[in-house]
Each structure stands twice: as C-alpha cells, then as structure tokens.
Amino acid sequence: MIRKHKLLLCIAVHSMPFFAVAQQTEKPVPADTSRVKKTKAPAKEEENRNVMLNAASNTGPREVNIGLPSNVGGITILENDMPVVHFFWPELPTTSWRQSNSLGKVGLLKLGEVAITQGDLGYAVNSYARKGTAKTELLGSLSTNQFGWLKGDITLSGPLKNNWFYTAGVYENFDPSTYDMKFARYVDKTQIYRAGLTKLFNNNKGEVSLFYKYSSSASLTNYSVFRYQEGGVAQELSNFRIGRDSYFLNSGTIRFKDILTGEYMDKNLGSDATSSTHTIDLVGNYALNDSWKLNFNARYHATKATLFYAIPLGTVSQSSADNFTYSDGSRYTGDVQSVMGMYSPNVPTHTLMSRVEIVKKTDKHNWRIGLTESYYNVNKFTSNRSFYYQEVAANPAQLYRSGATDGSNTDDAGFYNYNIAGEYHNGYENKVAAFFSDDWTVSDKLTVTYGLNLKYNKVKGDYYEQQRSPGIVLGDLQTTNFDKNYFNKAFDINAVYKITPKFGLLAEAMYTEQSGRLENYSGALDPMVRVSKSPYGSFGIYLNSDKFSLVSAVNYLTRDNVQTRLNLVNPTNSSQAQAATVYYGIRTIGWTTDIVTSPFKNFDLHYLITLQDPVYRNYTFSAFGNDYNYNGKSVLEISKVLMEIDPSYTMNKWRFWASLRSYSQQFANLTNVLYFKSRWETFAGAAFALNKHYDFGLTVVNPLNQRGAKGTISGAELITDPSPYYNSILTGSYIRPFTIEATVNFKF
C-alpha cells in the first residue's frame, strides 16, 4: 500500500489535453461546449473539462492525470491565486475548500501557468471568493440524493455605503455516502462559513477585499472487499456489496498508543476525525497608471488538522494453528482481514502566504512580474499507528488472535504492533519565489507565452532517526535537527503558429523542479532528499471551423527522484508489515486528440482520446530480506488508453447531457501481475431553467450501475505470482454505485 500516493482519494484519473475546463458553478451539469473553441493564443486556463464530476467522491475535484501517479492531495486547488493549503499532509485542501456559491469563479489552470506562478508540476483548480455586489443578491442551492445526502449552500451580497460592499456565505454538507456505518451517520460532515468586505477606490483605480473563512470538516474513506478473478475481475462476495456496504470496524473505535507519551487512547472514526481552520485573505488591485497595474494577495491560515484512517492490508487464510476469536471468546473460522489504523490528532499548523505582481499591457506584450512567499509551521506532527484484525463481512466485527509465533498476537484490547511505521516531524518551511511571464504577439501568425519561476525553499526542524519498533515511544528519545536550503527553477514556453486562418501548429517546452519538504522527515533515518526534476515537451496541430475544432498533440514527460514511503506486507506472511522509503523515476509518452463539435443545431459534442505509456524508472528497494526492482513496470492506476465523450443537447429551457469516460486496464500492484479490467465511468443529467430565479438539475452517477473495484490492491505490492490470488479475497477502492442527485438553484 503506497501511503502518500494512493491512500485517500482514489480519484478518477484522466489525460493531458491542451483544452479543458471546470464548470463555473456547482450546478449538476458539465461544461458547456456550445461555442467551439478557437485556438488563437496560448491560454492560461483549460477548456472543455469538468473536473468536478468525480466518480470516487462528491467532496472535491477529480484528478486530471498527466501520466504521473495521483497523490493523496488530489489536484492542486488555488483560492484567490494562492494554494488553499501549503501542503496537503496533514491538511487536505477539501477540509476548507468546496465548490460553492461563495466562489465567484472556478477554472482549471494549464500546466504552464502552474509552472510559472507556483513552480509546480500539474494542473490546478483556480477559484476566487465572491465579492460584494452593487445590488443585493442572494444565491443558493439545495441538493440531495436517494441515500440521504443533504447539502445547503447560500451566499448573500450587496452594497453598504461609500463604495463599501459585503458578502456572506454558508456551506453545509451532510453526506452518509452510499453505505451504512454502525458507528456514525455521515461519511462527510463539512461546514464552511464566509464573510467579506470590499472597498472600491475612487476613479476606478482598483479595489481591496478582506475575507474570513471558518471550516469544520470530517471525512472518512471506505474500502471494498471482493474476490479477485483472473482477467482483472472483481467479483462481489455474497456477504458484501461493493459500494453499498461498510468495511469499517462495526464499533468504529481503534486503540492507539501516543507515539510521544506512550499513553493509550481509544478513538472513534465517527467522532474524532474533525479538522478545523481559520483563514483570513486580503485581496486587491490598483491601477498605477494607464498601463501598469498592481495585484496583491495575502493570507493567514491556521488549522488543527486531524487525519484518521483505517486501511485494509491483507487477508489471512487461517490454518489449524491460528486462533481467532470474537470479543466474547467464541471461535472465528472464516477469512480474516488485517487492518492498519492511522491517527494524527489536531496537528497545529500555521501558514502565512502572499503574492504581489505588477502587469503591463502593450499592443504586442502582456508583461507580468511577481513575488510569492509561503511560510508554513507545523507543531509536532505525529502519526500514531496500530494494527488489528476484523472479519471479512459488511460492518465487520473485531477479532482477537493468540498462539501466533511471529509477534502478531493481539493484546487484551484486540490490537498489536503499536506505532510500527509511526511518524513525527516538527518545524517550518519558507518558500520565496520570483516569477516572470510575457504573452507576446510576435506577428499575425505567431504568438508565444513564456515565463520563469525561481524559488528559494528553506526547511528546518527536528525528527527522530530511530526505527519504529513495536510499541516505540519517541518522546523518550533524542531528536535530530535538520536545516536544508534548496533553489528550484521552473520555466515554460508555449507557442501557437497559424499556417492558415483555421490551421496551425502548437508547441510547448516546460521544466520544473521540486525539493524537500517537512513531510520527508516523518520516518526514521535521514531521507537524503534529492531534487526532483521534470522536463516536459509537447508538439501538435490544431484545426478550427465554425462547427468543428480539433487539437492533437504528442507529449513527453519524465520525472526523477520521486520519494514515497511504502507500507509493505510480507508476501509470505500477511501479518508482517514493514515501511520503506523509496526514490524512483517515471517516464511517460502520450498522444492526445481533443475534439469539440456542433454538428447540428442545439447539439454539442466533446470527444477526447489519449494513448500513453507511463513506466517506472530506477525503482529499486529492499524489504523482508529481499531486493526488488520495478524498472520498466507500468505506473499504478493509470490507463494506457483513455477516452471521454461528452454530448449535450439544448431544447428551450431544457438541457440534457452525458459524460462517459473509458479507462483501459489499470495495474493494481507494483509488480504489474495484478490488474483491474477496463471500465467506464458514466454520468448523465438534465437541467431545467424555470425562470430567472429558479433552475433545477438532476445528475445520475454511474447510470449503468457498474460494480467493481479500482485503484490498488492493498497488501499486494510485492507478490510476483498472481495465480494464488485468483479466487482470493482482496481489498481495494471502488467507483460510486448508481446514485441520483437532485439540485435546486435559486437567485434573487
């Protein structure tokens, strides 16, 4: 199980097109493709892509994949031109960000724009807080589904006096998901409250806004258990429905041993998984003269972040020597699931961010020069671990074990191996970057966007070098200090050349670097952080007409020195677990073709296909006394053939739409001997505009009601012979089952 890269949001992956877009409001309809995109100059945002249709979860955007493994934080999310969180561990961005009416705009930034402004690799959702309005305005929406999901989202804005304006919003989400837990009602319970003031300067010189946001959020991640069959088929068990049954311990209570104090604590998934945040943003702009403009942003963000997960490892087929019992001492003889609990309680983090830039527009250029800073402090992050057994069933009961000779017996509370692979780090990061960009109209035929990001990153703090042996108490040991400094570079150049008014060439070259973080020091031993370098290149063509637009490009991307920590299960004894820190590289080659067309009146179609071949490079490590080499293996969870088909039809006040995504075979373990067969992720819906005040939407998730697992197979990272796994019980993630979501939107 790859803890940092595949643990939480097994988010639907996609491709690397030139044009893609996120929907602008949270209505349950995909992005409108009714106006065919004309390629004129390198844009900063993608078109035709709805990242908010997420087959795995409705709490955040889906991953837009570029041939690299999705990470636990999902896609990068910006708010008011600054990252929602400095780093996603221990605070996921969806803890304090949801798409809502309190956001005035939501889009998807291109790879190049993210590289120039953030110095990072990947797409980013970009959002802006809704400001006060000249007239009093009320925006709201109410959503529900057949499983009891309730979401309310309302924003009020209007004028005060003397060019002052106000805004206030409330977002409430209560989601029981599609399965019933015995210990809690809601899988996601999130409240976000916002308030803001805006002041317009005289003579239209600019404006300044002050925003405050408070959030409280608790989310859980369920898994499925299934019988794995040859050919990558996940067959449902008679006593467990994929996506409809809970695989959480029926009590929801897991015992931990505080890794710093040694005190035991019983924590419940239903009541002890809440994170809370306070955020203050200062956002503004000012016209310095007729051609120069100043944009400025600043943020203070304080969090008490909690991480709480129960992660299935491997199933145990009992032998006659095993002795598994229920809490009352009665014998259990079925299949057994080993599980790892992870708990990071109320980790205090504080972040100060700022971004200042000046822009100047001329007939040929759009210049931009800026500075960003992000100071991030973590006060003693810990990840407490414990292991336990449960029966293989819906809402499983906890099992106790005795008589084992490998140290996997449980204590009187039913747990063992406290704090194996436990984590700790403490300190701060400070990132200061200067960036520059220019949108240059070279001639009527050639336009070029180019930019550079130079970043200084300091990481300072302390950690423990000691191996995490069972029952370890780090507070009794001596910490080791670290003080590291990095200088990272990123650049992008993106060009469009018009051969004819409707046909032309596209080219892009990009390079990014990523260096060490506090999180790298969570484990034992010095991580020996290395700078990760990612060169990227793309070349393609475009064709435009009144009813048809095509973009087709070949892409090449490599990345080295990717660090991950693996929580491994011994392939010869699933009760044994071990952590390993690994550095590896990835190379991916892709060919993407993106088509938008309106073949007849009121009908629009978006079609995208990607062929890609992402593979690991220099992926070697040792575990359980053996050496492993995964060079040339295909990257986990990423299909080599991807398709998206998005038709829509408008008729009077109605709009009907669908979104179909095809994923070819995906490998489910590092050795590539286990995989899941190809699948479709499907959505469909309708929207009806009653009048200028009300409209209604209906979204159907997984209308084909496909059942099956996706993602990785827990505890199977090291196995090389798949045959013993055929007809065996395994665990993994899954896509949401058939769900009908209804929304009413109102505006006054």
Side-chain angles (χ1 to χ4, degrees):
M1 180 204 48
I2 302 178
R3 200 265 295 170
K4 285 296 193 295
H5 289 282
K6 302 282 191 305
L7 175 60
L8 304 179
L9 306 176
C10 297
I11 297 177
V13 295
H14 220 274
S15 56
M16 47 191 311
F18 276 86
F19 300 106
V21 73
Q23 64 187 30
Q24 299 300 306
T25 67
E26 202 173 18
K27 300 176 183 179
V29 295
D32 189 358
T33 60
S34 58
R35 292 182 297 174
V36 175
K37 173 68 179 179
K38 300 296 190 295
T39 301
K40 296 181 179 180
K44 300 186 186 307
E45 288 195 356
E46 299 284 358
E47 301 287 346
N48 310 327
R49 182 67 59 80
N50 190 329
V51 297
M52 295 308 295
L53 283 179
N54 188 343
S57 169
N58 66 2
T59 60
R62 65 184 172 110
E63 185 79 10
V64 181
N65 180 263
I66 57 173
L68 300 178
S70 60
N71 60 41
V72 69
I75 193 169
T76 298
I77 299 176
L78 307 179
E79 185 175 344
N80 298 328
D81 288 325
M82 297 175 289
V84 171
V85 296
H86 177 95
F87 188 59
F88 62 76
W89 199 263
E91 183 193 0
L92 290 173
T94 51
T95 298
S96 58
W97 185 96
R98 301 290 171 93
Q99 190 175 22
S100 71
N101 291 308
S102 293
L103 298 174
K105 177 187 176 183
V106 177
L108 185 68
L109 290 186
K110 283 176 152 292
L111 293 173
E113 179 68 5
V114 176
I116 292 170
T117 59
Q118 306 299 318
D120 290 334
L121 174 65
Y123 293 101
V125 171
N126 195 30
S127 60
Y128 296 91
R130 188 178 297 276
K131 302 172 185 176
T133 51
K135 295 182 179 180
T136 301
E137 186 175 87
L138 179 69
L139 299 175
S141 64
L142 298 173
S143 301
T144 187
N145 63 21
Q146 78 267 34
F147 298 106
W149 171 50
L150 294 173
K151 186 190 71 176
D153 179 15
I154 189 168
T155 297
L156 178 67
S157 60
L160 295 171
K161 293 182 178 180
N162 301 322
N163 285 334
W164 284 92
F165 305 86
Y166 72 90
T167 182
V170 176
Y171 174 97
E172 302 270 353
N173 191 65
F174 300 92
D175 187 3
S177 195
T178 59
Y179 52 91
D180 293 325
M181 300 180 295
K182 296 299 183 182
F183 55 86
R185 168 63 177 156
Y186 298 110
V187 171
D188 180 88
K189 185 177 180 180
T190 298
Q191 297 91 41
I192 300 176
Y193 306 97
R194 295 174 180 266
L197 291 173
T198 297
K199 168 66 175 179
L200 297 184
F201 300 131
N202 294 330
N203 301 320
N204 295 319
K205 282 287 189 176
E207 64 185 27
V208 61
S209 298
L210 182 68
F211 299 105
Y212 170 74
K213 176 175 64 174
Y214 170 78
S215 70
S216 175
S217 179
S219 293
L220 302 177
T221 301
N222 189 32
Y223 291 84
S224 65
V225 61
F226 52 88
R227 193 174 299 279
Y228 183 80
Q229 304 287 3
E230 187 174 2
V233 176
Q235 183 184 68
E236 279 194 332
L237 304 179
S238 60
N239 62 341
F240 192 95
R241 299 170 300 167
I242 297 176
R244 293 302 316 277
D245 285 327
S246 168
Y247 206 44
F248 291 111
L249 197 65
N250 58 15
S251 68
T253 298
I254 303 175
R255 169 164 286 197
F256 296 94
K257 184 177 183 179
D258 191 298
I259 200 168
L260 293 181
T261 67
E263 296 180 1
Y264 289 96
M265 48 187 174
D266 294 327
K267 296 298 177 179
N268 190 273
L269 288 159
S271 57
D272 295 310
T274 301
S275 297
S276 60
T277 70
H278 298 270
T279 305
I280 300 174
D281 278 6
L282 181 69
V283 181
N285 60 77
Y286 190 79
L288 301 176
N289 54 41
D290 291 339
S291 58
W292 287 95
K293 183 179 180 181
L294 172 69
N295 299 319
F296 54 91
N297 310 71
R299 170 177 298 155
Y300 171 69
H301 182 77
T303 303
K304 289 187 177 180
T306 298
L307 299 169
F308 198 175
Y309 304 107
I311 305 160
L313 298 177
T315 55
V316 177
S317 295
Q318 298 188 64
S319 67
S320 58
D322 289 323
N323 183 19
F324 287 96
T325 62
Y326 290 108
S327 59
D328 61 3
S330 59
R331 182 69 183 270
Y332 175 77
T333 57
D335 291 298
V336 177
Q337 177 75 61
S338 60
V339 186
M340 179 178 68
M342 296 172 52
Y343 182 58
S344 298
N346 295 322
V347 181
T349 68
H350 297 270
T351 305
L352 291 171
M353 292 183 183
S354 62
R355 172 171 166 171
V356 180
E357 62 183 31
I358 54 174
V359 297
K360 178 180 174 64
K361 292 185 178 181
T362 66
D363 291 339
K364 295 285 188 179
H365 295 273
N366 185 5
W367 306 97
R368 177 176 54 172
I369 301 173
L371 291 171
T372 64
E373 181 172 14
S374 182
Y375 172 84
Y376 172 68
N377 180 276
V378 178
N379 186 7
K380 295 183 178 180
F381 165 80
T382 60
S383 180
N384 306 289
R385 308 290 177 91
S386 64
F387 296 77
Y388 60 94
Y389 301 103
Q390 64 187 32
E391 60 182 349
V392 176
N395 293 299
Q398 187 172 0
L399 300 175
Y400 295 70
R401 188 180 195 182
S402 62
T405 59
D406 58 3
S408 60
N409 293 322
T410 60
D411 61 12
D412 292 341
F415 300 90
Y416 69 104
N417 279 351
Y418 293 100
N419 289 328
I420 280 188
E423 296 179 330
Y424 168 94
H425 66 255
N426 179 59
Y428 73 88
E429 295 182 24
N430 192 39
K431 296 190 296 186
V432 181
F435 66 90
F436 159 82
S437 72
D438 177 29
D439 302 331
W440 179 20
T441 304
V442 182
S443 67
D444 292 339
K445 290 184 173 293
L446 178 64
T447 54
V448 178
T449 289
Y450 60 98
L452 175 69
N453 185 291
L454 302 175
K455 181 187 299 181
Y456 167 74
N457 186 19
K458 184 178 185 64
V459 182
K460 185 176 182 180
D462 59 76
Y463 72 111
Y464 289 98
E465 289 187 309
Q466 293 79 4
Q467 290 290 343
R468 310 305 197 242
S469 56
I472 190 171
V473 179
L474 293 178
D476 297 335
L477 306 173
Q478 183 66 39
T479 60
T480 300
N481 295 325
F482 60 88
D483 188 347
K484 302 291 184 179
N485 299 276
Y486 305 93
F487 182 74
N488 298 144
K489 305 174 291 295
F491 71 82
D492 179 75
I493 180 168
N494 191 335
V496 175
Y497 182 75
K498 300 178 182 178
I499 298 176
T500 72
K502 296 183 178 181
F503 174 76
L505 303 177
L506 304 163
E508 182 172 17
M510 185 175 67
Y511 174 84
T512 61
E513 294 178 347
Q514 294 182 356
S515 56
R517 299 182 179 274
L518 282 173
E519 188 269 340
N520 297 129
Y521 291 87
S522 293
L525 304 178
D526 189 333
M528 303 298 291
V529 174
R530 311 163 192 170
V531 174
S532 179
K533 302 174 183 179
S534 303
Y536 166 84
S538 180
F539 181 78
I541 62 171
Y542 73 88
L543 175 65
N544 289 328
S545 69
D546 293 338
K547 293 183 177 296
F548 181 85
S549 175
L550 175 147
V551 176
S552 186
V554 176
N555 313 281
Y556 179 81
L557 171 65
T558 66
R559 185 178 180 186
D560 65 2
N561 293 327
V562 181
Q563 187 198 46
T564 188
R565 279 195 300 279
L566 306 178
N567 293 314
L568 302 168
V569 176
N570 191 338
T572 62
N573 185 345
S574 60
S575 295
Q576 293 182 354
Q578 179 179 326
T581 298
V582 181
Y583 286 93
Y584 62 91
I586 290 177
R587 185 221 66 200
T588 183
I589 300 173
W591 177 24
T592 293
T593 298
D594 194 355
I595 298 172
V596 178
T597 181
S598 299
F600 54 88
K601 184 179 180 181
N602 298 331
F603 180 77
D604 304 302
L605 176 67
H606 171 234
Y607 175 79
L608 183 147
I609 184 170
T610 293
L611 308 177
Q612 60 181 5
D613 184 27
V615 296
Y616 291 119
R617 302 198 304 184
N618 303 316
Y619 203 131
T620 60
F621 63 94
S622 299
F624 305 108
N626 297 312
D627 296 327
Y628 295 90
N629 186 330
Y630 295 149
N631 295 332
K633 298 295 184 181
S634 294
V635 177
L636 297 180
E637 292 192 71
I638 298 181
S639 298
K640 294 187 178 183
V641 180
L642 306 166
M643 277 197 305
E644 180 170 323
I645 306 171
D646 300 311
S648 66
Y649 182 76
T650 303
M651 181 179 63
N652 298 323
K653 295 183 177 182
W654 287 91
R655 184 166 183 265
F656 303 93
W657 60 270
S659 183
L660 302 92
R661 306 170 191 159
S662 173
Y663 299 86
S664 67
Q665 169 185 292
Q666 294 181 349
F667 290 104
N669 77 326
L670 289 172
T671 59
N672 287 178
V673 298
L674 298 176
Y675 60 90
F676 291 113
K677 68 175 185 178
S678 59
R679 72 178 191 277
W680 285 88
E681 292 181 356
T682 54
F683 304 83
F688 175 71
L690 179 64
N691 52 42
K692 65 179 182 179
H693 297 297
Y694 294 97
D695 63 79
F696 304 87
L698 190 71
T699 297
V700 181
V701 180
N702 194 3
L704 302 179
N705 198 25
Q706 296 183 98
R707 297 293 181 91
K710 61 181 289 288
T712 60
I713 294 178
S714 300
E717 290 82 3
L718 305 181
I719 68 110
T720 56
D721 180 10
S723 57
Y725 280 76
Y726 299 153
N727 205 38
S728 295
I729 294 176
L730 301 177
T731 56
S733 56
Y734 57 88
I735 60 176
R736 285 190 284 166
F738 176 80
T739 305
I740 300 175
E741 299 176 351
T743 297
V744 55
N745 300 287
F746 53 90
K747 178 180 179 180
F748 295 97

